[in-house]
Amino acid sequence: TYWKKLNYELDFVQDYPSTTVMQRYCIPKDTGLLEQLSATMTSGMNAVMLKGSSVLSSWLAIVIAAVFAVLLSYVYIFIVDKLAALLIYILLGISTILPILAGILFLYAGFFEDISQQMESHFGSNTTAPYLPTLINKEADIGIGLALLLVGVIIAIIACCLRNSISLVIAT
C-alpha cells in the first residue's frame, strides 16, 4: 500500500475587494465583477435560489402580513355587514353622477366655441366663460357627452325602478 500524508493550512485569502451587504453577501467593489455578478443573479437558478433564501429569511414579516390580512378581512366583513346600505347607495350615486358630470364636461368642450362667440358678440368679451378646448373634436365631444349623459340617466332610472329590490337585498 501507498500512504501519503497531506497537510492543509487554511487561511483567509481575499480574492477581490468586496463590500459586505446585510452581513450575508460579499459584493465586489470592481464594476466589471459587479456586472458579471448582476448578470448571474438576475436570471436562472441562481436568481431563484437568491430570492428563495430571501423569502425564507423573512418569515416573520410574511407571518405578520398574513395575520394582518386575516384581521383586515374580518374588519371588512363586519363593515360591509353594518354599512351595506350606505355603501350601495353611495356607489349608486357615484355611478349616476360621474357619467353625468363627464357628459356635461364633454358637451361644454364641444359647445365652447359657440358659447365664446355668442358672449363676444353680445358682451364684447368672453372672459366670463372658463376656457376649455375640445377634447377630441367638436362632433366627437358632443356625441360622447350625450352618450355619457344618457348612461347616467339610464343608471338613475334603473336604480329608481329597482329600489324595492335593492332595499330587499340590503335588508337580508
Side-chain angles (χ1 to χ4, degrees), residues 67-84 87:
V67 169
F68 191 64
V70 169
L71 288 175
L72 279 180
S73 66
Y74 279 110
V75 169
Y76 174 76
I77 291 171
F78 176 77
I79 288 173
V80 167
D81 182 44
K82 299 301 178 196
L83 302 175
L87 183 66

Side-chain angles (χ1 to χ4, degrees), residues 15-122:
D15 306 2
Y16 53 85
S18 62
T19 304
T20 304
V21 176
M22 299 184 323
Q23 297 178 348
R24 186 172 186 174
Y25 304 108
C26 293
I27 305 295
K29 290 182 181 178
D30 182 31
T31 56
L33 292 174
L34 186 59
E35 287 175 6
Q36 288 177 358
L37 180 65
S38 295
T40 310
M41 293 303 203
T42 54
S43 64
M45 191 51 116
N46 287 334
V48 171
M49 295 303 288
L50 180 66
K51 292 173 184 170
S53 69
S54 297
V55 168
L56 291 175
S57 65
S58 60
W59 67 270
L60 182 61
I62 293 171
V63 168
I64 291 171
V67 169
F68 191 64
V70 169
L71 288 175
L72 279 180
S73 66
Y74 279 110
V75 169
Y76 174 76
I77 291 171
F78 176 77
I79 288 173
V80 167
D81 182 44
K82 299 301 178 196
L83 302 175
L86 180 65
L87 183 66
I88 287 175
Y89 288 126
I90 286 173
L91 290 176
L92 275 173
I94 288 172
S95 64
T96 301
I97 291 171
L98 283 182
I100 291 173
L101 290 177
I104 291 170
L105 176 73
F106 272 95
L107 286 174
Y108 181 77
F111 288 117
F112 179 74
E113 291 180 9
D114 297 336
I115 294 171
S116 63
Q117 289 172 358
Q118 292 293 326
M119 293 184 78
E120 189 172 339
S121 67
H122 291 292

